[in-house]
Amino acid sequence: MKQTTRSGAHFLLQALVDHGIEYLFGNLGTDHAPLIEELARWRTEGRTAPKILLCPHENTAVHMAGGYAAATGRGQAVMVHVDAGTANASMGLHNLFRARLPALLMAGRAPFSSEGELPGGRDTYVHFVQEPFDQGSLVRPYVKWEYTLYSGAVASEVVARACAVMRSDPAGPAYLILPREVLAAECDSAGVRRFPPARYAPVPHRGADPAAIRAVAERLLAAREPLLVTAYSGRQAITPPLVDRLARLAGIRVCEFNTVYLNIPRDSPCFAGYQPAPYAQTTDFGLLVDVDVPWVPKTTRPNPEAFWVQMDLDAIKRELPMWPFATDLRLEGDSARMLEQLIEAVEALATPEFRTRAAQRVERMKAEHAEQEKAAAARAADPGKPGCLNPHHVCAALGRRLDPADVVLNEAIRNALAVFEQMPRRHPGSLVGVPGGGLGFSGGMALGYKLAHPGRRVVHVVGDGSFHFCNPSSLYATAQQHRLPIFTVVLDNGGWAAVKESTLRMYPEGLARQQGAYHSVLAPQIDFSQMVAAAGGHGERLTDPGEVDAAIDRCLAALDAGRSALLHVAIGAH
């Protein structure tokens, strides 16, 4: 006899499958018993469910989902344990939210029945203490949508809505609470509707009004010193070549500030580095393309006579309470499409005189670019001394050994410029920077990238402080369990250099400086290489400048053999 009722867990799983959820990055608890049972039933019935990738800590799970979404454009689901797991996941959601990456965070809710009235009711101590008054408040600032599943009968509609919202531009996380009784309750299959993705699709941004694009092109053609500033336009692989093409066509200097993705190939003559402030002071026409903070206003005085155009996935910065950057024209939409439109308009309007002026600017920038590369090479020439290696030298040695398609995640914080300058990337999607303010994002993101691109090397470079936040034991346990080897480079300066530098910026002659007391030193004798070794990986501590090349080669050999590797580099006390 055909089964006519199914559990809420069944309908939830079916909805996830229907809406393209391939993976559940999970850290499970007692609230997930109905799902575990339903997955077992699906196996006996030969059904294909989303694959569960267990992670010992929620920080790993959320960032792994973020890395996969960044690498593929396909947002996945994360399963965590009631309020406790939600709290652990909140830092990861902050980073995904700022990076505009889609993910569906699903958390159980402690059972609400106590006397056996309903299947799935309270049956252990923690079920009483894991129910807060407002569980969603733990992540509400970092999600686009939140809801509670009240019945399995509406699971398809709820998941359809969650996926449509999280995948619509600008993308971001969604949050769904799953009471245990609801997952356990049986529903009549005959009364359950399906909500197909094709009819409940996300809404992507498009291009801009052609008249507005033409106005931008006319301004650009009249400019003498045009400048483009970007941070995350490279989230789409088609965009970096477009930025480069527009820059070469119109003679535009391109800078990145707080790089989130590779936005222009580093060998482009128009790429001018990571500090737009000097150029903002002299430009007469500026383009802000997908950038949240183009410069620090306290230390930058842009030309007040310049005309600024903003092309952005999120032009109003709706999730930032204040945004003090003046622009004369704001265009919200898909930056790739708007850049294509602008290139077409410039090509149509360009005069021979304009093309000559633009080519002259490109030649001038080519010479400047060569000088920048020469200066970067000079910074890398000195290997340092024992116990105090030069991070530029180490990063340059690693950069020479990477293939163009290998992925570099930069969470080196105070040494971020060493990574950017000495490991120049050209391939779209091969560079990821810090999107938000939550440290510890790069480890899990690296695993997500490796899952999406198993044939590429994935390297994340961290400071010792940010490495602590990566939850290393969870990170390498996950890498080992799911056979996702990654390479970690820890640039260890013995503590929070950012804390010390912030104090000195505010109080350059203060008491903290006089006393040399910044409360920023962290476990100076710790050996991070042992952490990866505990999970079967290869770890080395590097203190001798003469061993840089050999140590990197050994780590890469282990990585290529399928083992995670960690290089703990002593770069001296901050």
Side-chain angles (χ1 to χ4, degrees):
M1 182 177 179
K2 185 177 180 180
Q3 184 175 349
T4 59
T5 63
R6 290 281 192 171
S7 70
H10 167 86
F11 292 112
L12 175 67
L13 289 172
Q14 186 60 61
L16 294 173
V17 170
D18 290 346
H19 288 273
I21 300 298
E22 307 163 74
Y23 294 102
L24 286 172
F25 301 96
N27 186 286
L28 307 186
T30 58
D31 41 324
H32 298 123
L35 280 167
I36 294 170
E37 180 66 15
E38 191 60 38
L39 286 166
R41 181 173 291 108
W42 275 40
R43 282 193 294 273
T44 64
E45 295 175 355
R47 294 173 176 267
T48 300
K51 184 177 180 180
I52 294 182
L53 295 181
L54 291 177
C55 305
H57 195 281
E58 292 84 357
N59 182 68
T60 307
V62 173
H63 286 116
M64 198 170 174
Y68 189 85
T72 65
R74 301 194 296 275
Q76 301 299 303
V78 182
M79 187 79 73
V80 300
H81 177 44
V82 294
D83 62 333
T86 301
N88 274 347
S90 62
M91 184 58 76
L93 282 196
H94 160 87
N95 286 329
L96 268 58
F97 187 67
R98 294 304 184 203
R100 298 170 181 85
L101 290 171
L104 175 56
L105 178 68
M106 298 186 293
R109 177 180 170 179
F112 54 78
S113 58
S114 300
E115 302 290 342
E117 307 96 327
L118 297 169
R122 296 184 178 114
D123 58 18
T124 188
Y125 166 79
V126 293
H127 290 164
F128 292 88
V129 299
Q130 287 181 331
E131 183 180 22
F133 285 106
D134 187 1
Q135 184 170 313
S137 67
L138 294 167
V139 294
R140 192 165 295 135
Y142 312 126
V143 297
K144 295 178 64 181
W145 176 94
E146 65 167 297
Y147 200 68
T148 298
L149 182 65
Y150 295 108
S151 169
V154 296
S156 182
E157 181 178 3
V158 169
V159 171
R161 179 63 175 165
C163 290
V165 172
M166 77 180 193
R167 292 167 177 163
S168 293
D169 286 329
Y175 182 56
L176 178 60
I177 298 174
L178 307 170
R180 193 163 84 153
E181 289 93 338
V182 171
L183 294 177
E186 294 287 318
C187 302
D188 188 348
S189 301
V192 174
R193 285 183 57 202
R194 300 281 281 273
F195 285 72
R199 303 198 68 187
Y200 298 90
V203 180
H205 276 337
R206 306 294 185 186
D209 176 12
I213 292 292
R214 182 182 175 89
V216 174
E218 290 172 347
R219 289 272 185 176
L220 178 55
L221 263 67
R224 296 294 176 179
E225 293 290 337
L227 171 67
L228 188 155
V229 184
T230 184
Y232 66 92
S233 61
R235 71 190 186 282
Q236 300 183 83
I238 62 172
T239 308
L242 292 173
V243 173
D244 189 29
R245 181 180 169 191
L246 176 65
R248 292 174 187 259
L249 170 65
I252 306 175
R253 182 178 280 109
V254 178
C255 288
E256 296 178 357
F257 190 69
N258 202 67
T259 301
V260 180
Y261 298 105
L262 180 81
N263 303 288
I264 183 172
R266 293 300 184 256
D267 56 359
S268 170
C270 300
F271 178 61
Y274 307 92
Q275 297 296 336
Y279 309 115
Q281 295 170 0
T282 59
T283 187
D284 57 344
F285 174 85
L287 269 174
L288 304 181
V289 182
D290 282 349
V291 56
D292 288 336
V293 181
W295 52 74
V296 177
K298 185 176 180 179
T299 56
T300 303
R301 295 291 180 265
N303 178 11
E305 303 301 319
F307 189 91
W308 288 94
V309 176
Q310 183 189 12
M311 294 180 169
D312 209 295
L313 183 72
D314 176 19
I316 200 62
K317 306 302 174 185
R318 52 182 62 84
E319 299 302 338
L320 296 177
M322 300 296 291
W323 201 74
F325 304 97
T327 53
D328 299 286
L329 177 61
R330 291 180 176 178
L331 302 176
E332 183 165 286
D334 181 334
S335 60
R337 179 58 192 135
M338 289 190 287
L339 288 169
E340 288 175 338
Q341 289 179 286
L342 184 55
I343 290 169
E344 292 167 3
V346 170
E347 289 278 12
L349 295 173
T351 64
E353 293 77 12
F354 166 77
R355 292 183 184 276
T356 298
R357 291 197 311 272
Q360 290 171 345
R361 287 198 293 267
V362 171
E363 285 302 310
R364 187 171 74 247
M365 287 185 285
K366 185 183 296 184
E368 294 172 358
H369 185 79
E371 286 300 313
Q372 290 172 348
E373 290 185 325
K374 184 178 178 181
R379 283 189 284 274
D382 178 11
K385 57 186 179 180
C388 190
L389 278 72
N390 178 2
H392 284 267
H393 181 80
V394 175
C395 290
L398 176 55
R400 290 192 294 270
R401 289 163 167 79
L402 295 181
D403 294 332
D406 291 343
V407 179
V408 174
L409 295 101
N410 185 357
E411 197 180 7
I413 310 301
R414 305 318 299 170
N415 288 290
L417 281 178
V419 179
F420 285 141
E421 288 185 353
Q422 306 301 338
M423 302 171 68
R425 315 303 294 147
R426 300 186 302 276
H427 195 288
S430 64
L431 178 66
V432 183
V434 179
L439 295 182
F441 92 101
S442 65
M445 290 280 290
L447 291 177
Y449 266 86
K450 187 64 176 178
L451 178 66
H453 299 301
R456 297 188 191 178
R457 290 170 172 161
V458 179
V459 181
H460 73 118
V461 187
V462 296
D464 53 306
S466 50
F467 182 63
H468 281 291
F469 281 115
C470 282
N471 300 93
S473 61
S474 172
L475 176 67
Y476 297 121
T478 304
Q480 181 194 56
Q481 180 175 2
H482 303 299
R483 298 180 181 178
L484 299 170
I486 58 175
F487 183 18
T488 306
V489 179
V490 182
L491 301 177
D492 183 4
N493 60 12
W496 305 114
V499 174
K500 177 181 176 180
E501 291 175 14
S502 174
T503 304
L504 291 174
R505 283 197 303 271
M506 287 190 68
Y507 307 101
E509 303 300 331
L511 293 174
R513 178 170 187 166
Q514 293 176 28
Q515 299 170 15
Y518 304 101
H519 306 286
S520 59
V521 175
L522 290 172
Q525 301 304 318
I526 195 168
D527 184 353
F528 292 121
S529 68
Q530 297 303 306
M531 294 181 176
V532 70
H538 174 83
E540 296 201 26
R541 188 167 189 194
L542 178 60
T543 61
D544 182 353
E547 287 294 317
V548 170
D549 290 331
I552 291 175
D553 286 341
R554 288 191 294 269
C555 287
L556 290 176
L559 185 72
D560 294 342
R563 299 168 64 200
S564 289
L566 184 151
L567 185 63
H568 179 181
V569 184
I571 62 172
H574 67 81

